[in-house]
Amino acid sequence: MELYNYFRSSASYRVRIALALKGLDYDYKAVHLVKGEQTAESYAAVSASRLVPLLRDGDHVFTQSLAIIEYLDETHPEPPLLPADPAGRARVRALALDIACEIHPLNNLRVLRYLTQSLKVPEDDKDRWYRHWVETGLEVVERQLAARPGRYCHGDSPGLADITLVPQVFNAQRFKCRTDHLPQVMQVFEACMQLPAFEKTRPEACPDAF
């Protein structure tokens, strides 16, 4: 397998965690988003969306981190990343989507660049935009977790929701977002970071980090 990704991409980090939890080897293909490598014709030949992550598995090419993770879970079922029961799977998917759909799209690199470069939003205002959506979005996750507290987002082992949560917390810390009002979120984050799959795939540990 080959994973096209960028070390600071939270969506890429999700897939790296999933691959590590599954114990799967892959070739790390760096695509530097800040330098615009995703817009190059060479990458366009691989990715129609020109986004990361992208997973190539044999003749198959997959995009979108949550779709990639569910593909990995179906083709390599141990350890499972989704609960066995339908209600549990729905809860975990909802938690993951609370982050991947409600928080992440508002603060990814394309959006932040549009704010500053096209709309001429000052850097301080851009950072306030970022912190507002991350903090309020994680408050939703906090309420969800507090209603059913545990070591991880759901149950006694990490899964899809944890895989999605950890990269978002990394980004929150990088942009100096408040997290002191998120005790359950941070408890889950700290529990996950004790596991090698989360620790060894963190952004600073990637070969393209600088």
Side-chain angles (χ1 to χ4, degrees):
M1 284 188 283
E2 295 176 334
L3 178 65
Y4 291 79
N5 76 132
Y6 177 55
F7 76 105
R8 274 188 178 153
S9 160
S10 59
S12 297
Y13 187 11
R14 297 170 196 160
V15 178
R16 295 196 302 268
I17 295 168
L19 287 162
L21 285 170
K22 297 288 186 182
L24 298 173
D25 294 326
Y26 61 96
D27 292 329
Y28 189 108
K29 303 288 188 180
V31 180
H32 201 297
L33 301 186
V34 174
K35 293 179 180 178
E37 291 179 357
Q38 72 277 17
T39 65
E41 290 303 319
S42 58
Y43 189 59
V46 179
S47 172
S49 65
R50 303 190 184 193
L51 299 174
V52 294
L54 179 146
L55 182 75
R56 188 197 297 276
D57 187 13
D59 294 330
H60 302 291
V61 174
F62 304 100
T63 59
Q64 291 295 335
S65 62
L66 299 191
I68 293 171
I69 292 167
E70 291 218 29
Y71 166 77
L72 294 172
D73 207 33
E74 291 173 5
T75 55
H76 301 84
E78 293 299 328
L81 302 179
L82 285 163
D85 63 298
R89 288 198 299 275
R91 179 174 184 266
V92 167
R93 286 189 176 111
L95 284 165
L97 292 170
D98 276 335
I99 298 165
C101 294
E102 304 296 341
I103 304 175
H104 177 247
L106 290 165
N107 59 68
N108 68 20
L109 182 62
R110 291 186 300 162
V111 170
L112 299 182
R113 277 185 166 174
Y114 184 76
L115 288 174
T116 56
Q117 296 178 6
S118 298
L119 299 183
K120 307 303 180 185
V121 172
E123 283 291 324
D124 286 348
D125 289 342
K126 180 262 290 182
D127 289 346
R128 275 200 296 274
W129 162 282
Y130 186 102
R131 287 191 289 269
H132 171 78
W133 293 115
V134 171
E135 290 174 5
T136 56
L138 286 177
E139 287 166 8
V140 173
V141 178
E142 174 70 20
R143 291 194 293 272
Q144 301 272 36
L145 296 181
R148 189 172 172 177
R151 180 171 178 80
Y152 299 105
C153 286
H154 187 89
D156 297 324
S157 58
L160 178 64
D162 308 274
I163 288 169
T164 312
L165 177 64
V166 164
Q168 191 62 67
V169 173
F170 257 88
N171 280 350
Q173 293 174 330
R174 179 177 164 226
F175 278 82
K176 298 180 171 58
C177 297
R178 287 182 56 234
T179 58
D180 58 332
H181 64 312
L182 306 169
Q184 194 65 35
V185 164
M186 296 311 296
Q187 178 179 306
V188 170
F189 173 78
E190 289 162 9
C192 288
M193 293 311 298
Q194 294 176 22
L195 303 176
F198 290 81
E199 172 66 21
K200 73 180 183 181
T201 56
R202 71 191 191 281
E204 314 93 272
C206 292
D208 56 330
F210 61 92

